[in-house]
Each structure stands twice: as C-alpha cells, then as structure tokens.
Amino acid sequence: VCVCGFLFFNRQHTSLDVTLPEPIPLDHPLLKLPNCVIFPHIGSASQATRERMAALAVANLMAAVCGQDMPHKIC
C-alpha cells in the first residue's frame, strides 16, 4: 500500500518483479496505476543468470555427493 501511495502521488515510474502476495491479486491497487509495470517474476531469466545458477547448483551437488559442505548453501 505504501508503494501505491508513493506512485500515485509522486507520479514516479517503476517496474516490479516480485510482489507480496505472489501472484498479485487481480484487484490489487498497483494493477490500476498507469506508471507501474509488474512482470511475472522473470528477473532471473537472462542466459547469463541461468548459467550461473546452474553452475552453483552443480557445485553444491558435487560437494554434497563428496560429503563436503556445500559452498553455496542458502541457510
């Protein structure tokens, strides 16, 4: 709601890749703003990003199979 007010009153433009909740409800105020574009969670869709994500996954898998700590664990 705070972002909606800012965009409405300040007439700034933005694009969003992530919303909460996701997917955004069809009646959400952000969808009514002409200065806001919401993408379907595609921020990581570039070829370079996908290749890096695959390399990180392989490094984690190889470490786990070898009984080592995963180098790129999330938590």
Side-chain angles (χ1 to χ4, degrees):
V1 175
C2 184
V3 172
C4 290
F6 177 81
L7 292 172
F8 180 80
F9 289 110
N10 293 293
R11 299 296 182 201
Q12 300 294 317
H13 291 81
T14 192
S15 59
L16 304 172
D17 181 62
V18 179
T19 61
L20 186 64
E22 199 169 273
I24 192 167
L26 294 177
D27 62 346
H28 196 282
L30 281 173
L31 295 175
K32 296 175 178 67
L33 295 174
N35 54 339
C36 180
V37 177
I38 301 174
F39 293 97
H41 206 89
I42 58 171
S44 66
S46 73
Q47 183 69 30
T49 301
R50 295 286 170 97
E51 288 174 4
R52 179 73 177 138
M53 289 175 8
L56 294 175
V58 168
N60 276 347
L61 178 63
M62 294 303 294
V65 167
C66 293
Q68 302 168 351
D69 287 338
M70 293 186 292
H72 308 286
K73 56 185 166 182
I74 296 172
C75 52

